[in-house]
Amino acid sequence: MHRLYLDSPLQAGVVALGPSAMRHVRALRLRAGDPLVVFDGGGGQWQARLGAAGDSVELLAFEGVEREAAQAVELAVGMPANERMDWLVEKAVELGAQGIAPLMTSRAVLRLEGERAERRCAHWRGVAIAACEQCGRNRLPQLRPVQTLERWLRGLPAAGGAARCLLAAPSQAQALPLARWAAGVPAGQVVLALSGPEGGLDDAEIGLALRAGFVPVSLGPRTLRAETAPLALLAGLAALRA
Ligand code: SAM
């Protein structure tokens, strides 16, 4: 069944489609009367039918379907360059990330500010929406604005608040294996996971994260790429909580 995200809170009745939703419907080659599933990103989905002119949907029945990960994870990543960040956003959404914070770090290749940063975030939001449509998630993950690591850390509640904070650390002697670290996280807590860019985090940034309460965690003896490590974390935590 085709799935369509609509960017406003939904309730039973007929909803007019905006230009981008109409383009999407045309791309899917849907015809008047065809059934589809519609969701607004806030949870649950609607059984729906495409209207006669193809410019509206009739919402028929709400279903409280949830497909969120058992372990809520907020990812903060030193942005990898080029299409690798698109790839990371798409896969992170599929793997259930609750939020994604793209960070500028001292060794990150990608520097984004002002309008360019906003445009890129809007693009990543589109990638996240498409991933939700494809994988069946009915809750849209939060895409945070691009910011520096320092600023992101400053914005966290003291010691990460109720969240448990993990620093993906390839070369820290005292890093805990993921399973050992996760065993100490009570069920229901949001995990904040910080992972570095292509060149890794520098010593000052690692020091800041440690002082903010982040615990170094290892994903094994191999150095994973900047887009692989956060995905391995998400998959690992999901498997440990399953
Ligand atoms: N030479 C860099 C370093 O030592 O940090 C390599 C950076 S790696 C390409 C990108 C990021 O992925 C790292 O900063 C780290 O956060 C994460 N990472 C890669 N391999 C990892 C591993 N085996 N365990 C934990 N984190 C890892």
Side-chain angles (χ1 to χ4, degrees):
M1 178 80 73
H2 290 298
R3 289 169 47 85
L4 181 67
Y5 167 77
L6 292 182
D7 193 9
S8 55
L10 299 175
Q11 44 185 306
V14 174
V15 179
L17 298 179
S20 97
M22 278 171 64
R23 269 196 306 278
H24 193 166
V25 160
R26 274 198 297 275
L28 293 173
R29 298 180 188 283
L30 290 174
R31 296 170 179 212
D34 278 352
L36 70 164
V37 167
V38 177
F39 64 105
D40 62 13
Q45 61 186 33
W46 288 82
Q47 291 296 333
R49 181 163 56 207
L50 190 63
D55 59 359
S56 65
V57 284
E58 187 185 357
L59 304 182
L60 303 169
F62 180 76
E63 300 169 332
V65 178
E66 295 292 354
R67 300 192 180 94
E68 295 307 293
Q71 174 61 65
V73 181
E74 177 98 20
L75 270 186
V77 289
M79 295 176 290
N82 308 324
E83 75 290 346
R84 287 175 187 274
M85 184 64 186
D86 287 14
W87 198 84
L88 168 50
V89 170
E90 180 182 270
K91 306 302 171 208
V93 172
E94 288 174 42
L95 289 168
Q98 176 184 279
I100 302 173
L103 301 183
M104 283 189 293
T105 58
S106 71
R107 294 187 189 142
V109 180
L110 190 56
R111 321 290 310 172
L112 290 173
E113 263 154 346
E115 213 180 297
R116 250 187 96 220
E118 280 166 27
R119 271 206 310 276
R120 200 62 78 86
C121 278
H123 169 73
W124 290 327
R125 187 165 186 274
V127 171
I129 288 170
C132 285
E133 287 173 334
Q134 179 275 324
C135 76
R137 275 185 86 175
N138 289 322
R139 288 188 186 273
L140 208 57
Q142 292 284 321
L143 260 170
R144 315 283 174 202
V146 176
Q147 55 195 310
T148 62
L149 170 63
E150 290 83 348
R151 187 156 178 211
W152 179 75
L153 285 173
R154 271 201 309 273
L156 296 179
R164 290 300 169 112
C165 307
L166 159 178
L167 167 66
S171 49
Q172 292 261 329
Q174 75 275 32
L176 289 175
L178 180 64
R180 180 130 36 101
W181 177 83
V185 177
Q189 286 229 336
V190 178
V191 163
L192 277 185
L194 170 60
S195 193
E198 288 93 334
L201 300 174
D202 69 19
D203 288 347
E205 290 168 333
I206 291 173
L208 276 180
L210 297 180
R211 283 194 293 284
F214 282 73
V215 176
V217 166
S218 165
L219 295 164
R222 292 166 302 282
T223 302
L224 307 177
R225 281 188 183 269
E227 70 278 20
T228 312
L231 300 176
L233 271 171
L234 286 171
L237 288 169
L240 289 165
R241 283 278 183 249

